[in-house]
Amino acid sequence: MNYSWDWLIFLQPSITGEGAYGYLLLRGLLWTLAISSLSWVLAVAIAAAVGIARTLDFVVLRFLAATYVNIFRNIPLLVQLFLWYFVVPELLPTAWGTAIKRMDPLLNQYFTVVVGLTLYTAAKASEHIRSGIESVSAGQKQAGRSLGLTTAQSYRYVILPQAMRIVIPPMTSDFLNVFKNSSVALTIGLLELAGATYQLSEFSAQPFEFFAAATLIYMMITYTVILLMRAVERCTRIAGSLGAAS
Amino acid sequence: MYRIITKLLLAAALGGFAGTAHAEESPTLEKIRAKNEITVGIREGSLPFNYLDDNNEQDGYSWQITLRIVDAVKEKLGLPDLAVKRLMVSPATRIQLVANQTLDLECSSTTNNTERQKQVSYGNTFYIVGPRLLVDKGSTIRNWTDLKDKSVVVNAGTTAEKLLRTMNSEKDWGANILLAKEASQGFMMVETGRADAAMMDDTGLFGLVARSKEPQRWEVTGDFLRKEAYGCMLRKDDAGFKEIVDETIAGMMLSGEMEELQKKYFQQPIAVKGGITLGVPLSDEMKALYKQPTDAAYD
């Protein structure tokens, strides 16, 4: 390969005069972290609610939850983001649409990505929560009922404490995916880590250095998440049980 | 894990040195001869340079240049049955693909500049463009200094973005920079009122206007800030292949063939969206270029 390597490129000032290349790349990293962490917190809350709703006896609630999951899980994230950014503002009443389009562009892009990523991630994660709840044996639910617990009480004290422990490993991969999926933000022009990598590769004409750096940074993020989730798993483990007590 | 990464990086770095160490007369021509195949870059919608038309055929000003260079290679190597492999590229992938030698030749709408020359080499310039602004005809934006507190969308990673950012910080334009991934998205942002103007190479803007639903609604405005030279990309330090590319392009210019191509693709209807006309006359800069072919970049 006929490529001139320059690993010190990160220290050099950008040709646009906006700071060193390394600094601009880290700015992208901050966007990635800001998008992913907010989306994940919101997604977990929604996923828990939807996952529980899908196991309840209310038909209407179950139907609504299933509809949501099927729509948001089956449409590619890229398409969803495009719809949120370009189509939804046009469908709203003109005044609202204009207000959205005229807010600070960067914040607008940020919130659009957070909405899109949250709803997509929550739809996927809620399936894990649902299957976690379903994996707790039906006898437990019945036992709770025969003890006179209400549905809310049997979820709170019997089912969820077991189900939530079971879903930690699959939720770990959802957590990882949030970071990786946050790169779709670049398609609507928000330069998070992947977007900044593309942009700076072009500006500096040193693409391989920037992609190598981005790869390492993504690996560091995901490895940190894995360690974190392992710690959570360890701390919440019930002595003598593998996952749920059955 | 760490060891593997180090090894990979080392291998990549060494590969780089090895490549320069035994550079032959023309590595590209040798590869073409050995595989009896040349790989050229194509674009999906870079009007009117390199695009797929309504019949799903590759066409365009730069595509015709590509074909002429391929013919010259066939003749030079005596390989009449040379296979031509087409590879769809985008602005984000094209330079890497030439640098890592996947592509032998890329003629579309790629600006030749000094940063990029670190990784790739350019043949003779075949078109000269300059970034300008696309606005609604009723807009108050007439020129660059009107951009204060306005939102301007530009394609991420392009030379236009670079220029806009530089001017914004040096000349204090005060424009609010919005980024789009590709030209059609940038246009959509102006169309839906998210941005007040789109900044791009003028020919690209004329292409967007010609393709839009209401061409009469849009206007291309702003002074010609800086010239940019479009050239064919090929791998670095390959004098033998560059000579063929340069001679073919210079020959087309001096014989008047290039001027015919400019007329055909920029002034007459092309088979896109049922037939559109860009209406871009031959500029004085271009006339001068056709008389004196050069591979010089403007920055």
Side-chain angles (χ1 to χ4, degrees):
Chain A
M1 191 158 65
N2 212 343
Y3 185 85
S4 40
W5 295 88
D6 180 7
W7 289 101
L8 294 178
I9 187 78
F10 302 105
L11 304 176
Q12 281 170 27
S14 149
I15 40 163
T16 56
E18 293 177 308
Y21 281 116
Y23 161 75
L24 295 177
L25 193 66
L26 289 181
R27 218 165 55 175
L29 169 63
L30 286 183
W31 278 115
T32 292
L33 296 176
I35 294 167
S36 313
S37 40
L38 182 57
S39 301
W40 178 242
V41 171
L42 297 174
V44 169
I46 295 174
V50 173
I52 291 171
R54 292 202 68 183
T55 62
L56 294 177
D57 293 332
F58 308 111
V59 179
V60 179
L61 211 53
R62 239 168 38 204
F63 174 76
L64 288 177
T67 310
Y68 159 73
V69 170
N70 286 325
I71 290 176
F72 283 86
R73 198 169 59 139
N74 294 337
I75 300 175
L77 179 54
L78 209 63
V79 177
Q80 288 189 34
L81 197 61
F82 197 79
L83 293 176
W84 285 116
Y85 194 59
F86 284 110
V87 180
V88 171
E90 304 302 317
L91 297 179
L92 294 172
T94 318
W96 296 11
T98 314
I100 291 177
K101 287 186 281 190
R102 284 286 142 184
M103 68 187 271
D104 179 67
L106 213 52
L107 280 181
N108 181 331
Q109 289 171 335
Y110 174 68
F111 286 120
T112 307
V113 175
V114 167
V115 168
L117 191 56
T118 300
L119 293 176
Y120 177 77
T121 309
K124 290 194 142 180
S126 74
E127 283 293 273
H128 291 142
I129 292 188
R130 176 177 71 103
S131 55
I133 292 173
E134 283 171 352
S135 74
V136 177
S137 74
Q140 301 259 338
K141 211 174 188 175
Q142 290 155 4
R145 203 166 290 164
S146 57
L147 281 173
L149 297 182
T150 61
T151 307
Q153 283 170 330
S154 65
Y155 269 85
R156 168 70 185 83
Y157 297 108
V158 182
I159 300 166
L160 290 181
Q162 301 175 60
M164 286 307 179
R165 288 182 169 86
I166 298 171
V167 300
I168 292 174
M171 291 292 265
T172 305
S173 31
D174 285 331
F175 198 179
L176 297 179
N177 283 337
V178 170
F179 286 98
K180 290 180 278 180
N181 288 340
S182 67
S183 61
V184 293
L186 78 94
T187 59
I188 61 165
L190 179 62
L191 293 194
E192 40 59 72
L193 184 53
T197 306
Y198 276 112
Q199 180 203 36
L200 300 173
S201 303
E202 285 290 330
F203 284 0
S204 65
Q206 299 288 353
F208 295 125
E209 288 86 341
F210 281 96
F211 279 93
T215 308
L216 284 178
I217 294 173
Y218 273 116
M219 280 168 60
M220 267 153 55
I221 296 174
T222 48
Y223 202 63
T224 311
V225 170
I226 291 172
L227 291 179
L228 182 82
M229 291 301 276
R230 268 193 205 149
V232 170
E233 212 174 332
R234 243 193 336 268
C235 294
T236 56
R237 186 150 53 203
I238 300 170
S241 76
L242 280 173
S246 51
Chain B
M1 197 66 211
Y2 178 75
R3 209 177 292 162
I4 296 173
I5 295 166
T6 325
K7 264 188 198 160
L8 276 175
L9 293 182
L10 251 175
L14 286 176
F17 290 126
T20 31
H22 49 83
E24 307 286 342
E25 178 61 17
S26 169
T28 309
L29 291 179
E30 263 168 43
K31 181 188 156 199
I32 293 171
R33 192 197 298 276
K35 297 178 79 177
N36 195 22
E37 178 183 272
I38 180 169
T39 308
V40 300
I42 54 171
R43 296 284 298 277
E44 195 181 352
S46 177
L47 287 184
F49 295 101
N50 200 332
Y51 57 90
L52 278 170
D53 70 10
D54 287 347
N55 310 317
N56 223 18
E57 303 270 354
Q58 202 66 37
D59 203 0
Y61 178 87
S62 313
W63 175 244
Q64 296 302 334
I65 297 173
T66 308
L67 293 178
R68 288 299 309 268
I69 295 171
V70 170
D71 285 343
V73 170
K74 279 183 188 169
E75 199 177 315
K76 171 105 181 174
L77 298 183
L79 295 170
D81 301 322
L82 181 68
V84 180
K85 203 167 125 194
R86 302 173 186 190
L87 184 67
M88 185 74 80
V89 299
S90 76
T93 61
R94 57 194 176 183
I95 295 174
Q96 287 89 314
L97 287 171
V98 173
N100 78 7
Q101 314 194 348
T102 308
L103 277 180
D104 298 316
L105 180 69
E106 198 269 355
C107 308
S108 63
S109 46
T110 311
T111 302
N112 175 0
N113 66 30
T114 36
E115 267 88 24
R116 291 173 176 177
Q117 283 173 11
K118 287 189 287 184
Q119 308 303 355
V120 294
S121 175
Y122 286 85
N124 276 337
T125 301
F126 56 73
Y127 213 85
I128 298 169
V129 296
R132 293 182 70 197
L133 291 166
L134 177 125
V135 294
D136 195 300
K137 272 195 181 136
S139 165
T140 53
I141 300 173
R142 293 278 74 117
N143 215 335
W144 303 100
T145 45
D146 301 331
L147 291 179
K148 191 146 191 67
D149 299 325
K150 300 282 187 193
S151 302
V152 186
V153 60
V154 63
N155 296 342
T158 57
T159 43
E161 187 199 349
K162 197 158 73 179
L163 181 66
L164 182 58
R165 288 194 183 279
T166 312
M167 295 306 250
N168 229 10
S169 53
E170 277 175 13
K171 297 253 165 98
D172 217 13
W173 280 355
N176 205 339
I177 302 174
L178 276 168
L179 297 172
K181 193 164 172 261
E182 58 194 27
S184 57
Q185 254 182 39
F187 182 70
M188 205 172 353
M189 286 166 84
V190 182
E191 207 175 19
T192 56
R194 267 181 198 276
D196 301 297
M199 177 183 176
M200 230 174 96
D201 291 342
D202 51 357
T203 40
L205 292 177
F206 286 119
L208 286 174
V209 172
R211 257 186 301 180
S212 69
K213 275 175 283 178
E214 316 158 87
Q216 67 288 351
R217 189 181 147 193
W218 308 104
E219 189 176 353
V220 175
T221 184
D223 293 336
F224 215 68
L225 266 190
R226 196 182 65 184
K227 288 191 279 188
E228 297 206 358
Y230 281 177
C232 292
M233 278 195 287
L234 45 136
R235 78 193 48 158
K236 236 174 31 158
D237 305 326
D238 192 335
F241 187 49
K242 181 167 160 46
E243 198 184 308
I244 297 183
V245 174
D246 284 347
E247 275 176 7
T248 308
I249 291 173
M252 289 171 80
M253 286 178 174
L254 299 173
S255 72
E257 188 184 351
M258 205 66 108
E259 200 171 330
E260 289 304 309
L261 284 181
Q262 201 277 347
K263 261 194 210 126
K264 180 173 171 200
Y265 289 101
F266 290 82
Q267 304 180 34
Q268 290 164 9
I270 53 175
V272 172
K273 284 217 162 184
I276 56 170
T277 309
L278 296 191
V280 183
L282 190 65
S283 65
D284 292 339
E285 286 94 354
M286 292 287 300
K287 279 180 197 156
L289 176 73
Y290 286 171
K291 286 199 191 89
Q292 264 184 326
T294 168
D295 67 351
Y298 290 108
D299 76 329

